[in-house]
């Protein structure tokens, strides 16, 4: 099992538009395996490759409940090909914005076109939790975060909070440098 480091806000790479996958090779299969390991370990129900700092259009999802068998799903180069006019509001979170949750309104149903691991083009219609999850993850492949769908006031507040936390973490790093204080 190999888990990768999940980058968090305000890491600028989260704002990158990821590149389309051109070939399903060994490296891509390893990325997908690592993404599942990382997602299950977190734990999360969806992960985009950019969250482990790989700017490729790859998304892993598993919305199975805890007492249900695993349902790993991979979406390569996913795009929303249709979205319902009807919307639904869910409280969302993000592994790259830990411990922050906010209600987001999105289309309640979407069709998503993608490539599977055998290179075949597929299209699925998703509703409810899966629809929200796929829209959230596809947003990641375009450098969009769920906080872009909330009010500017709330977005500014959470961004500020994470910038401060990142600064503190930097400070901690210098503090744990070997020092005569540790003799
Ligand atoms: Zn996310």
């Amino acid at each position: 099992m190999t888990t990768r480091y999940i980058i968090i806000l305000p890491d600028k790479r989260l704002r990158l538009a990821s590149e389309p996958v051109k070939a399903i090779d060994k490296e891509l299969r390893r990325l997908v395996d690592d993404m599942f390991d990382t997602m299950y370990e977190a734990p999360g129900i969806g992960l985009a490759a950019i969250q482990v700092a790989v700017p490729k259009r790859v998304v892993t999802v598993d919305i199975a409940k805890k007492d249900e068998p695993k349902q790993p799903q991979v979406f390569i180069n996913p795009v929303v090909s249709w979205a319902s006019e009807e919307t639904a509001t869910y409280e969302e979170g993000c592994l790259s914005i830990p411990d922050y949750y906010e209600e987001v309104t999105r289309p309640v149903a979407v069709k998503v076109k993608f490539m599977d691991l055998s290179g075949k083009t597929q299209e699925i219609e998703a509703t409810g939790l899966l629809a929200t999850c796929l829209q959230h993850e596809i947003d990641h492949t375009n450098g969009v975060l769920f906080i872009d769908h909330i009010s500017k006031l709330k977005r500014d507040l959470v961004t500020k909070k994470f910038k401060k936390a990142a600064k503190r973490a930097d400070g901690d790093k210098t503090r744990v440098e070997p020092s005569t204080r540790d003799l």
Side-chain angles (χ1 to χ4, degrees):
M1 188 174 116
T2 311
T3 58
R4 300 200 191 185
Y5 181 75
I6 296 177
I7 60 174
I8 62 169
L9 202 69
D11 195 310
K12 287 195 176 72
R13 289 171 290 182
L14 289 168
R15 291 307 190 176
L16 287 175
S18 295
E19 293 289 328
V21 171
K22 291 198 186 95
I24 295 163
D25 51 16
K26 218 172 133 188
E27 191 194 333
L28 187 89
R29 286 171 196 280
R30 185 178 307 144
L31 170 68
V32 169
D33 284 348
D34 292 356
M35 283 175 66
F36 276 118
D37 288 346
T38 307
M39 184 179 89
Y40 288 126
E41 168 101 350
I45 62 167
L47 191 71
I50 190 61
Q51 292 182 275
V52 291
V54 178
K56 282 186 181 164
R57 294 184 170 270
V58 180
V59 163
T60 55
V61 169
D62 190 336
I63 57 159
K65 295 194 182 82
K66 270 179 200 154
D67 52 349
E68 289 174 351
K70 281 183 180 172
Q71 288 170 33
Q73 290 178 277
V74 189
F75 300 86
I76 299 163
N77 301 338
V79 286
V80 175
S81 49
W82 170 84
S84 65
E85 273 174 37
E86 194 190 330
T87 58
T89 303
Y90 279 96
E91 189 173 68
E92 291 185 31
C94 180
L95 296 175
S96 295
I97 312 173
D99 303 320
Y100 182 76
Y101 309 95
E102 197 53 65
E103 286 191 338
V104 178
T105 300
R106 301 181 186 267
V108 69
V110 287
K111 282 184 183 167
V112 173
K113 251 193 186 158
F114 65 99
M115 199 162 70
D116 65 21
L117 270 177
S118 63
K120 225 171 82 188
T121 303
Q122 305 248 19
E123 189 173 42
I124 57 154
E125 184 165 347
T127 57
L129 180 60
L130 182 60
T132 290
C133 182
L134 282 170
Q135 290 174 80
H136 177 120
E137 302 310 332
I138 291 170
D139 270 356
H140 272 303
T141 68
N142 294 316
V144 175
L145 300 172
F146 86 92
I147 54 171
D148 299 340
H149 298 287
I150 65 177
S151 75
K152 185 179 183 304
L153 182 77
K154 285 179 180 168
R155 179 168 62 252
D156 287 350
L157 277 172
V158 64
T159 306
K160 221 166 142 185
K161 194 179 127 194
F162 275 83
K163 276 186 179 158
K164 266 190 189 165
K167 257 191 195 161
R168 267 204 305 276
D170 271 354
D172 283 348
K173 253 181 246 155
T174 43
R175 205 165 48 77
V176 298
E177 289 280 317
S179 146
T180 49
R181 290 184 190 179
D182 301 323
L183 281 169

